[in-house]
Amino acid sequence: DAKTTQPPSMDCAEGRAANLPCNHSTISGNEYVYWYRQIHSQGPQYIIHGLKNNETNEMASLIITEDRKSSTLILPHATLRDTAVYYCIVRARPGYNQGGKLIFGQGTELSVKP
Amino acid sequence: GAVVSQHPSWVICKSGTSVKIECRSLDFQATTMFWYRQFPKQSLMLMATSNEGSKATYEQGVEKDKFLINHASLTLSTLTVTSAHPEDSSFYICSARDGRTQNEQYFGPGTRLTVT
């Protein structure tokens, strides 16, 4: 699985948009970009995933650059409950080794402040 | 969304004893389950991958005789930490992949193991 690079920490004001970047310059054509988050002492929570098009769901938006070498997770209106470690993971799509394994990097520790 | 449960949520055991942790997919069938370990202030580390009805595949450096994994049904996997030592104290998290889509993967709430 390709590796990802994320800033170790970020701050965001409550109510503002949180933009979390991720670099995955070695991503291959059969790999998705996944985002999970982990609130302290809990299991990771799935947020969103995408292949090459931008994606949006009730939690967040995922913007993937045209060359697919980087992406940004956007939390449109961050709340205090969004404080967590956010992991960007590249994983093979289904049909390729059953979609591969989720290998976690160090992630970005997002602190949402009042 | 799909639910994965773990039991127990925390356990304290004495050095030298064995501890079993259960992982269940509650509303879907999981053909593949994964076990992770997380030490304080560190990321999750994948320990092993198990497919229903077959032997688990362990990541490099993980002792298969110490961490016994059984995936006997499509909704249950167990991790047994044998002859536990204080250095095995950690947060153990399981994850299950939905057999229908092969794309969605859900995580349990984790089990905090403390070995005294």
Side-chain angles (χ1 to χ4, degrees):
Chain A
D1 294 68
K3 291 183 67 174
T4 62
T5 304
Q6 298 177 253
S9 64
M10 291 182 65
D11 289 341
C12 177
E14 186 179 20
R16 305 297 291 268
N19 298 291
L20 293 93
C22 179
N23 286 323
H24 31 78
S25 58
T26 60
I27 192 171
S28 62
N30 68 350
E31 291 177 319
Y32 280 89
V33 178
Y34 280 77
W35 283 83
Y36 283 79
R37 73 179 181 184
Q38 185 180 27
I39 296 170
H40 183 62
S41 294
Q42 297 183 23
Q45 177 189 21
Y46 166 81
I47 301 173
I48 200 167
H49 74 277
L51 184 62
K52 55 182 179 181
N53 297 321
N54 298 337
E55 302 288 341
T56 296
N57 63 20
E58 64 278 5
M59 288 184 68
S61 294
L62 173 60
I63 308 298
I64 303 174
T65 58
E66 192 169 343
D67 63 7
R68 300 186 70 238
K69 293 185 177 182
S70 66
S71 61
T72 301
L73 178 74
I74 301 172
L75 308 178
H77 306 286
T79 71
L80 299 179
R81 288 176 294 183
D82 292 321
T83 293
V85 180
Y86 287 76
Y87 296 99
C88 169
I89 303 169
V90 170
R91 199 195 89 177
R93 59 193 294 184
Y96 292 80
N97 192 25
Q98 283 196 316
K101 299 176 281 192
L102 285 173
I103 305 298
F104 287 76
Q106 295 306 306
T108 295
E109 187 168 7
L110 176 68
S111 296
V112 181
K113 300 180 183 300
Chain B
V3 177
V4 175
S5 70
Q6 282 185 242
H7 177 80
S9 55
W10 60 271
V11 58
I12 302 172
C13 72
K14 293 188 175 182
S15 187
T17 62
S18 295
V19 175
K20 180 184 286 188
I21 302 170
E22 291 186 350
C23 175
R24 294 181 186 273
S25 57
L26 298 186
D27 51 2
F28 66 97
Q29 292 185 330
T31 52
T32 307
M33 286 187 170
F34 306 85
W35 286 95
Y36 293 80
R37 180 169 56 180
Q38 185 175 33
F39 292 110
K41 297 194 180 299
Q42 294 187 22
S43 186
L44 286 78
M45 185 196 79
L46 180 64
M47 299 175 67
T49 302
S50 73
N51 292 298
E52 185 261 342
S54 60
K55 289 184 178 180
T57 302
Y58 291 80
E59 296 296 308
Q60 192 173 9
V62 178
E63 300 175 59
K64 62 180 182 180
D65 294 329
K66 181 170 183 59
F67 299 100
L68 302 179
I69 292 171
N70 183 280
H71 190 169
S73 79
L74 286 172
T75 59
L76 173 65
S77 176
T78 61
L79 168 68
T80 301
V81 183
T82 63
S83 187
H85 288 98
E87 56 265 32
D88 298 323
S89 298
S90 188
F91 193 49
Y92 292 87
I93 305 169
C94 76
S95 180
R97 179 177 292 161
D98 191 327
R100 296 168 302 170
T101 66
Q102 293 295 322
N103 204 14
E104 306 302 327
Q105 188 168 330
Y106 306 96
F107 286 80
T111 296
R112 176 77 57 192
L113 170 64
T114 302
V115 184
T116 61

